[in-house]
Amino acid sequence: MGRSKFEPFPPHLDVAQVVESTPSFEFATRITCDAIDDSSPEDFQRLIYLNVVVLGLPLVIEGFQERLDKSLFSKDWLRETYATKVENARDLVKNTNLSLTIGHYLTKLPLLTRQMDSYTYQQPSRQRIYLKDIDCPPEWHEALRDLIPPNLFYLNRSPKTFHGPGSQMSNNVDHHTTHEGVPIAEVGDLMSCLPPDIRAENLMCYIGHEGTYTPAHQEMCASLGQNIMVDASDGSPEDGEPTRPGSSVWLMTATKDRRVVSEYWSSMLGHDIGLENHFAQLNAWRAAPFTTYVVEQRPGDLILVWNRGTRTIKVAWNRTTVDTLKLAMLEALPHARMLCRDEQYKNKSIIYHSLEWYSELLRQASDMAHPEVVQLCRGFEKLFDLFTDVLLSESFSQTLAPEKAVEFIKFDGNVTCSYCRCNIFNRFLTCPWCCDSEGSDAYDICMDCYVLGRSCACISNLKWVEQYPWKELEEKYSKWRRQLIALDPEDKKRKSRFPVLLAARSQLGRKTTAEICQEQLALRPWSDCTKPVLSKRKAAKSEAVSESDNDRRARKRRRNVRAQGQPEQNGTCHFCSSTEPGWKMAQCTSCNTQYCYSSLFRAFDILPQVPMERPHWVCPRCRKICNCVACAGNPTIEAYQPYHVLLGHDTRKIADPRSVESLVNLRQSNRKLLERLGHTTQDRLQKRVAETAERRLRMLEEHQIDVDSVDASSSTNSPTKTHGNNGGIPVDPALELDGSMGAQPTPTEGTE
């Protein structure tokens, strides 16, 4: 299967015509600032919750351009105030960073834009310099804090007085408060509950020109993304240079379609959307089996990208809520761990510290029937459920010998997994053997990675470390559980709804992640990194040579050389017929058939922890779904169709150099396997689409949402078409001599 190439959007792209001519394209829903002024805060928050959180659809709030201070949010102010500030711009063609000043970049935007016309925009030599992910000026931060509704803004913990849309009604709301006067309400951005020194700073600015873009991606850790365009070129001359009207084109999908989108990206386009390295062609979007929501963002549009024109300047931030945390824990973080992507948000720590904040607010609440207090209680319950899952995953075995030599390191938020680079909340494993004499960093591995077979080359004999005293976490759990039960003492089911930790552990019905690690530490061999195996292999090879070189019947006998402490090979995989040590195999408790973990992952979408966590694991053969060659002729077996196209991801480029994969080789693709099984890409996509539609209906019924009213809320305010000194970096020297590349095209909408 080939990989689709990058193909830029043309400068003359008519967004409205593209949407109207493509059945699967729709304009995203738009509301105005005036509509927020005319609605109650409760109605506005419910609109955000239903459209963005529940339905997972993009929403545009337009009209902020009339409320922005144009003397502050402008190219001229930015250049006068921060002209000498050096930033790293992204060269999208060379995939490198380029250090330059903000003033120089703003000056060169007209020249960078002129190189993109109807005849040259597809040439690979065209420079695309994007000033992205730069810190937002504090002056803009303060101004936007006073303008954006607090429940949508960055690091908002409590409702605040503001002067933006909806402020007249919101500022007059009689909030229930604590003894110190702090409003008792749900937190708008749970990142604000973390101590300031471990928060992820994500209030960023993006400045782009015609033809700059952001590859397709999912919001980090399933958080909610907000982006407001604060300035753009309007087509009038600036500093004696002609300009084109600036806007940004967004192509977005619904949350419910995320699995279909991911499958389409890998099956049809040959890219992993999680790697954020591909900007899909417009025709690829048109052919996709899901709805694409289109926005042409202009100044004043707040969106809950592809840049057009001479200049666009935007401010963006992400918010973490109780609902996004659940999706992050179930899907976003496991996927990020497989791809080895930094987890900057520290989600488990957010759960812990948010519970502390919610607990304190509820402790001081006197009117438990107040609507905001009731909503806070619901959030407290959801956070407690997530915290329960975290504690259960880190609980040691109740049957194995207690872990005595557990090292304690006080939590500071900086411990990350040496392999997947995700943040570690409490317990993890560390290797005492991998620190060399030069004082290299400790090799720390999270429990999820170790279960997957990731570790340093020592493989076993790792030591346990924790960052919170376990007794302290148990006491927090018991305290919050009692508080939850006391919120509604008349409800007799709350004690069983929130059981004590020991009871929750017994009700789990499977082994915890920590317990699996305990067992695997005992099963997996220790390979002493201070005694390389290479010399033994050479010795074994020489011993295998026949004593008589002249005897033609003599053959070299191949010997299986094992690492120090590794058991003899004693298992054959039923699927791939490879011979592996027992600790690399999952054995069926019903028929004793063995499968290697790599085959289970590639052919059956089964991660290693699935057979490891179950005391009685039944293999695919006994479940009558085995798709191996030997079972192909069995009429009673319905071959399993793998859900995922694995493109093969080389984690060695990202993980600590000391790392190994001992169970699952993520560099191995399953595309040839899918071809052998005869399952077409269209079959998998159709199955995904059908499952997505079924889940959507269940979700709508669960939230009692009328389908017709939701579908009728699509945008009626579709965007309308707009009409419209050289030298130094970042401009290519060739452009300095060619300031008029072809005829100057009529200004049209461009992409960012």
Side-chain angles (χ1 to χ4, degrees):
M1 181 182 69
R3 294 163 62 92
S4 63
K5 66 177 183 178
F6 166 70
E7 184 176 297
F9 288 1
H12 55 273
L13 181 70
D14 187 332
V15 177
Q17 190 276 330
V18 169
V19 175
E20 291 168 3
S21 62
T22 307
S24 61
F25 280 14
E26 293 183 15
F27 281 117
T29 301
R30 285 176 173 264
I31 63 174
T32 66
C33 289
D34 295 338
I36 302 176
D37 283 327
D38 297 335
S39 63
S40 67
E42 293 79 12
D43 289 340
F44 177 58
Q45 292 182 23
R46 178 170 174 78
L47 173 69
I48 299 295
Y49 177 74
L50 289 179
N51 278 270
V52 180
V53 178
V54 177
L55 297 180
L57 300 176
L59 179 68
V60 184
I61 305 175
E62 61 184 9
F64 279 98
Q65 74 275 13
E66 302 299 330
R67 307 178 188 229
L68 289 168
D69 183 354
K70 295 180 177 57
S71 64
L72 176 64
F73 292 98
S74 69
K75 173 205 66 174
D76 294 334
W77 179 91
L78 187 63
R79 185 162 53 188
E80 292 172 4
T81 311
Y82 291 97
T84 60
K85 186 179 181 184
V86 178
E87 297 284 1
N88 284 324
R90 188 66 177 172
D91 187 327
L92 300 178
V93 176
K94 298 179 180 178
N95 289 322
T96 57
N97 289 331
L98 187 64
S99 295
L100 48 86
T101 64
I102 291 178
H104 177 78
Y105 180 75
L106 292 173
T107 301
K108 298 305 178 184
L109 285 176
L111 185 58
L112 287 166
T113 301
R114 283 202 302 272
Q115 65 169 327
M116 300 288 181
D117 60 31
S118 301
Y119 306 99
T120 63
Y121 74 95
Q122 288 185 310
Q123 295 177 1
S125 61
R126 301 299 94 182
Q127 276 195 313
R128 304 174 189 273
I129 308 297
Y130 197 2
L131 196 59
K132 58 185 298 186
D133 295 327
I134 66 173
D135 292 334
C136 177
E139 296 89 344
W140 288 6
H141 184 182
E142 292 300 320
L144 289 175
R145 192 207 308 268
D146 191 49
L147 181 65
I148 304 295
N151 60 308
L152 297 182
F153 197 55
Y154 174 63
L155 289 183
N156 165 61
R157 189 163 68 170
S158 299
K160 293 180 174 64
T161 301
F162 71 111
H163 299 91
S167 58
Q168 184 173 359
M169 300 187 70
S170 297
N171 293 340
N172 293 327
V173 172
D174 184 19
H175 292 285
H176 188 45
T177 63
T178 66
H179 305 309
E180 292 79 16
V182 177
I184 298 178
E186 272 206 295
V187 177
D189 183 4
L190 292 177
M191 182 71 70
S192 62
C193 295
L194 287 178
D197 58 330
I198 64 173
R199 292 174 184 167
E201 301 293 333
N202 60 34
L203 185 67
M204 300 295 180
C205 278
Y206 298 79
I207 308 175
H209 62 84
E210 179 77 54
T212 53
Y213 59 90
T214 298
H217 65 281
Q218 296 173 321
E219 293 295 341
M220 180 175 290
C221 299
S223 57
L224 297 176
Q226 289 79 203
N227 185 302
I228 183 170
M229 185 175 288
V230 297
D231 179 61
S233 53
D234 59 8
S236 60
E238 297 179 357
D239 303 322
E241 297 276 2
T243 67
R244 305 178 197 173
S247 64
S248 294
V249 177
W250 294 69
L251 302 176
M252 295 173 280
T253 60
T255 302
K256 68 179 179 62
D257 291 325
R258 62 191 181 277
R259 295 185 180 90
V260 181
V261 175
S262 178
E263 179 68 23
Y264 180 75
W265 235 252
S266 57
S267 298
M268 299 297 292
L269 306 185
H271 295 272
D272 192 326
I273 198 170
L275 297 179
E276 301 184 13
N277 60 2
H278 180 61
F279 186 91
Q281 302 172 15
L282 185 59
N283 286 336
W285 285 98
R286 283 173 158 164
F290 46 79
T291 300
T292 298
Y293 299 91
V294 182
V295 173
E296 183 166 14
Q297 184 187 26
R298 302 182 186 279
D301 286 350
L302 171 66
I303 301 181
L304 295 170
V305 132
W306 178 265
N307 299 315
R308 314 189 67 181
T310 302
R311 181 186 70 258
T312 60
I313 303 179
K314 296 172 292 186
V315 177
W317 63 96
N318 288 69
R319 291 187 301 121
T320 299
T321 69
V322 175
D323 295 286
T324 66
L325 273 177
K326 182 176 182 180
L327 189 59
M329 297 297 292
L330 292 178
E331 291 189 29
L333 282 182
H335 188 58
R337 186 175 296 113
M338 295 295 290
L339 299 176
C340 299
R341 295 197 58 196
D342 287 336
E343 183 209 348
Q344 300 177 12
Y345 286 16
K346 303 177 177 66
N347 287 270
K348 292 182 180 180
S349 297
I350 290 178
I351 295 172
Y352 177 77
H353 288 281
S354 297
L355 276 169
E356 289 192 317
W357 176 253
Y358 275 47
S359 174
E360 182 60 23
L361 290 182
L362 289 172
R363 188 183 66 81
Q364 298 190 48
S366 56
D367 183 5
M368 302 307 297
H370 193 284
E372 291 182 340
V373 178
V374 173
Q375 192 66 25
L376 189 70
C377 291
R378 292 173 183 166
F380 189 47
E381 292 179 2
K382 293 178 181 179
L383 286 169
F384 185 79
D385 288 338
L386 294 174
F387 183 67
T388 301
D389 293 339
V390 172
L391 279 196
L392 288 177
S393 70
E394 298 198 358
S395 297
F396 285 143
S397 172
Q398 296 174 308
T399 57
L400 297 176
E403 297 288 345
K404 297 181 180 179
V406 179
E407 182 184 357
F408 175 76
I409 300 176
K410 188 175 181 180
F411 179 84
D412 62 3
N414 296 319
V415 178
T416 58
C417 177
S418 297
Y419 201 111
C420 71
R421 299 159 62 182
C422 287
N423 185 259
I424 298 177
F425 170 65
N426 184 32
R427 283 177 171 165
F428 62 95
L429 293 164
T430 189
C431 180
W433 319 101
C434 279
C435 292
D436 56 30
S437 58
E438 298 179 359
S440 60
D441 294 336
Y443 191 93
D444 302 326
I445 195 79
C446 69
M447 294 186 294
D448 295 280
C449 276
Y450 190 72
V451 169
L452 193 59
R454 296 167 165 177
S455 66
C456 58
C458 298
I459 299 180
S460 187
N461 211 11
L462 279 64
K463 306 301 180 185
W464 283 101
V465 186
E466 63 183 19
Q467 301 177 81
Y468 289 94
W470 187 251
K471 186 176 181 180
E472 176 184 323
L473 294 178
E474 288 181 321
E475 290 173 351
K476 292 279 189 180
Y477 179 93
S478 299
K479 170 189 171 183
W480 293 329
R481 172 183 174 270
R482 291 193 299 268
Q483 188 174 9
L484 278 168
I485 295 174
L487 291 175
D488 190 1
E490 301 299 325
D491 186 356
K492 303 301 182 183
K493 296 182 179 180
R494 291 184 74 81
K495 287 188 176 181
S496 58
R497 165 78 172 79
F498 306 108
V500 296
L501 187 60
L502 190 61
R505 174 70 181 86
S506 61
Q507 295 170 8
L508 191 59
R510 54 179 172 81
K511 300 172 185 177
T512 67
T513 307
E515 184 175 0
I516 295 173
C517 289
Q518 287 179 288
E519 293 180 345
Q520 293 300 310
L521 283 169
L523 287 175
R524 298 177 189 177
W526 175 45
S527 179
D528 190 350
C529 62
T530 63
K531 299 178 180 179
V533 187
L534 185 61
S535 59
K536 292 187 177 182
R537 289 180 177 173
K538 289 182 178 179
K541 185 177 180 180
S542 62
E543 291 176 5
V545 180
S546 172
E547 294 182 358
S548 176
D549 293 335
N550 296 324
D551 187 357
R552 295 182 180 180
R553 292 175 298 177
R555 298 180 180 179
K556 294 181 180 180
R557 180 167 296 173
R558 187 178 178 183
R559 291 190 178 184
N560 292 320
V561 182
R562 51 192 176 90
Q564 181 177 353
Q566 181 174 318
E568 292 288 348
Q569 296 178 340
N570 59 354
T572 301
C573 176
H574 174 76
F575 180 85
C576 66
S577 299
S578 64
T579 303
E580 300 286 357
W583 60 275
K584 291 189 176 185
M585 312 284 282
Q587 182 168 315
C588 177
T589 54
S590 177
C591 67
N592 293 328
T593 299
Q594 293 180 313
Y595 287 78
C596 69
Y597 290 111
S598 184
S599 292
L600 289 176
F601 178 69
R602 291 185 302 107
F604 301 97
D605 299 314
I606 297 177
L607 289 169
Q609 60 259 38
V610 174
M612 290 179 184
E613 70 186 5
R614 299 181 182 179
H616 304 286
W617 179 69
V618 180
C619 70
R621 181 187 177 190
C622 290
R623 292 165 57 194
K624 302 296 183 182
I625 62 169
C626 187
N627 51 26
C628 73
V629 176
C631 295
N634 190 332
T636 65
I637 291 181
E638 183 177 354
Y640 178 81
Q641 176 182 337
Y643 263 43
H644 306 290
V645 175
L646 306 174
L647 300 176
H649 179 50
D650 192 353
T651 58
R652 293 176 300 182
K653 301 176 181 178
I654 308 166
D656 188 295
R658 295 167 288 182
S659 302
V660 298
E661 291 176 321
S662 58
L663 294 184
V664 177
N665 183 5
L666 295 180
R667 298 184 298 278
Q668 187 174 1
S669 171
N670 69 343
R671 287 178 290 184
K672 292 184 178 180
L673 171 65
L674 295 176
E675 293 174 1
R676 179 177 66 79
L677 295 175
H679 301 304
T680 66
T681 298
Q682 292 299 329
D683 290 340
R684 287 195 305 276
L685 287 175
Q686 289 176 5
K687 186 175 181 180
R688 285 287 196 187
V689 171
E691 292 176 347
T692 297
E694 183 180 348
R695 278 197 303 270
R696 177 176 182 265
L697 291 177
R698 287 200 305 266
M699 176 188 64
L700 293 173
E701 292 175 358
E702 178 184 348
H703 291 85
Q704 299 179 348
I705 301 174
D706 181 70
V707 177
D708 293 334
S709 64
V710 171
D711 293 340
S713 66
S714 60
S715 172
T716 57
N717 300 320
S718 59
T720 56
K721 292 184 289 183
T722 58
H723 306 287
N725 303 309
N726 305 338
I729 57 173
V731 181
D732 190 341
L735 299 179
E736 307 289 348
L737 304 176
D738 191 9
S740 58
M741 290 188 280
Q744 180 69 23
T746 303
T748 59
E749 303 94 350
T751 52
E752 176 182 278

mmCIF file of all heavy atoms in Angstrom, residues 17 94 102 131 376 425 597 648 706 751:
data_model
loop_
_atom_site.group_PDB
_atom_site.id
_atom_site.type_symbol
_atom_site.label_atom_id
_atom_site.label_comp_id
_atom_site.label_asym_id
_atom_site.label_seq_id
_atom_site.Cartn_x
_atom_site.Cartn_y
_atom_site.Cartn_z
ATOM 1 N N GLN A 17 -18.012 26.993 -2.571
ATOM 2 C CA GLN A 17 -18.334 26.112 -3.690
ATOM 3 C C GLN A 17 -17.926 24.675 -3.401
ATOM 4 O O GLN A 17 -18.640 23.729 -3.747
ATOM 5 C CB GLN A 17 -17.622 26.633 -4.949
ATOM 6 C CG GLN A 17 -18.051 25.948 -6.250
ATOM 7 C CD GLN A 17 -17.302 24.640 -6.502
ATOM 8 O OE1 GLN A 17 -16.148 24.485 -6.093
ATOM 9 N NE2 GLN A 17 -17.970 23.694 -7.159
ATOM 10 N N LYS A 94 11.163 21.767 4.821
ATOM 11 C CA LYS A 94 12.366 21.064 5.260
ATOM 12 C C LYS A 94 12.181 20.350 6.592
ATOM 13 O O LYS A 94 13.069 19.616 7.032
ATOM 14 C CB LYS A 94 13.529 22.052 5.374
ATOM 15 C CG LYS A 94 13.905 22.721 4.060
ATOM 16 C CD LYS A 94 15.055 23.698 4.258
ATOM 17 C CE LYS A 94 15.438 24.371 2.951
ATOM 18 N NZ LYS A 94 16.537 25.367 3.138
ATOM 19 N N ILE A 102 10.366 38.156 15.578
ATOM 20 C CA ILE A 102 8.972 38.366 15.182
ATOM 21 C C ILE A 102 8.870 39.516 14.184
ATOM 22 O O ILE A 102 8.118 39.442 13.198
ATOM 23 C CB ILE A 102 8.116 38.640 16.431
ATOM 24 C CG1 ILE A 102 8.013 37.370 17.280
ATOM 25 C CG2 ILE A 102 6.719 39.122 16.043
ATOM 26 C CD1 ILE A 102 7.221 37.549 18.557
ATOM 27 N N LEU A 131 5.065 30.495 11.878
ATOM 28 C CA LEU A 131 5.441 30.879 13.239
ATOM 29 C C LEU A 131 4.363 30.346 14.177
ATOM 30 O O LEU A 131 3.344 30.992 14.413
ATOM 31 C CB LEU A 131 5.564 32.401 13.340
ATOM 32 C CG LEU A 131 6.317 32.946 14.562
ATOM 33 C CD1 LEU A 131 7.741 32.415 14.608
ATOM 34 C CD2 LEU A 131 6.328 34.470 14.545
ATOM 35 N N LEU A 376 -21.562 20.337 40.575
ATOM 36 C CA LEU A 376 -20.244 20.064 41.139
ATOM 37 C C LEU A 376 -20.189 18.650 41.713
ATOM 38 O O LEU A 376 -19.169 17.955 41.579
ATOM 39 C CB LEU A 376 -19.923 21.092 42.222
ATOM 40 C CG LEU A 376 -18.501 21.077 42.772
ATOM 41 C CD1 LEU A 376 -17.521 21.585 41.725
ATOM 42 C CD2 LEU A 376 -18.406 21.931 44.037
ATOM 43 N N PHE A 425 2.360 9.036 37.434
ATOM 44 C CA PHE A 425 1.712 9.601 38.608
ATOM 45 C C PHE A 425 2.300 9.052 39.899
ATOM 46 O O PHE A 425 2.709 9.796 40.778
ATOM 47 C CB PHE A 425 0.212 9.312 38.555
ATOM 48 C CG PHE A 425 -0.522 9.633 39.828
ATOM 49 C CD1 PHE A 425 -0.613 10.941 40.286
ATOM 50 C CD2 PHE A 425 -1.110 8.633 40.576
ATOM 51 C CE1 PHE A 425 -1.280 11.239 41.465
ATOM 52 C CE2 PHE A 425 -1.781 8.906 41.756
ATOM 53 C CZ PHE A 425 -1.872 10.222 42.193
ATOM 54 N N TYR A 597 2.754 -13.151 21.722
ATOM 55 C CA TYR A 597 2.059 -11.880 21.939
ATOM 56 C C TYR A 597 2.056 -11.010 20.688
ATOM 57 O O TYR A 597 1.115 -10.248 20.455
ATOM 58 C CB TYR A 597 2.705 -11.137 23.105
ATOM 59 C CG TYR A 597 2.448 -11.775 24.440
ATOM 60 C CD1 TYR A 597 3.476 -12.391 25.161
ATOM 61 C CD2 TYR A 597 1.178 -11.789 24.991
ATOM 62 C CE1 TYR A 597 3.248 -12.988 26.387
ATOM 63 C CE2 TYR A 597 0.931 -12.386 26.221
ATOM 64 C CZ TYR A 597 1.966 -12.988 26.914
ATOM 65 O OH TYR A 597 1.726 -13.573 28.132
ATOM 66 N N GLY A 648 3.306 0.033 11.117
ATOM 67 C CA GLY A 648 4.673 -0.208 11.571
ATOM 68 C C GLY A 648 5.297 1.093 12.040
ATOM 69 O O GLY A 648 5.554 1.987 11.231
ATOM 70 N N ASP A 706 -33.091 14.962 21.041
ATOM 71 C CA ASP A 706 -33.897 14.724 19.860
ATOM 72 C C ASP A 706 -33.019 14.831 18.616
ATOM 73 O O ASP A 706 -32.366 15.853 18.387
ATOM 74 C CB ASP A 706 -35.037 15.744 19.789
ATOM 75 C CG ASP A 706 -35.926 15.506 18.570
ATOM 76 O OD1 ASP A 706 -36.646 14.509 18.558
ATOM 77 O OD2 ASP A 706 -35.867 16.336 17.633
ATOM 78 N N THR A 751 -5.350 29.576 2.430
ATOM 79 C CA THR A 751 -5.303 28.705 3.589
ATOM 80 C C THR A 751 -4.149 29.114 4.463
ATOM 81 O O THR A 751 -3.237 29.792 4.031
ATOM 82 C CB THR A 751 -5.124 27.248 3.145
ATOM 83 O OG1 THR A 751 -4.028 27.187 2.271
ATOM 84 C CG2 THR A 751 -6.371 26.755 2.462
#
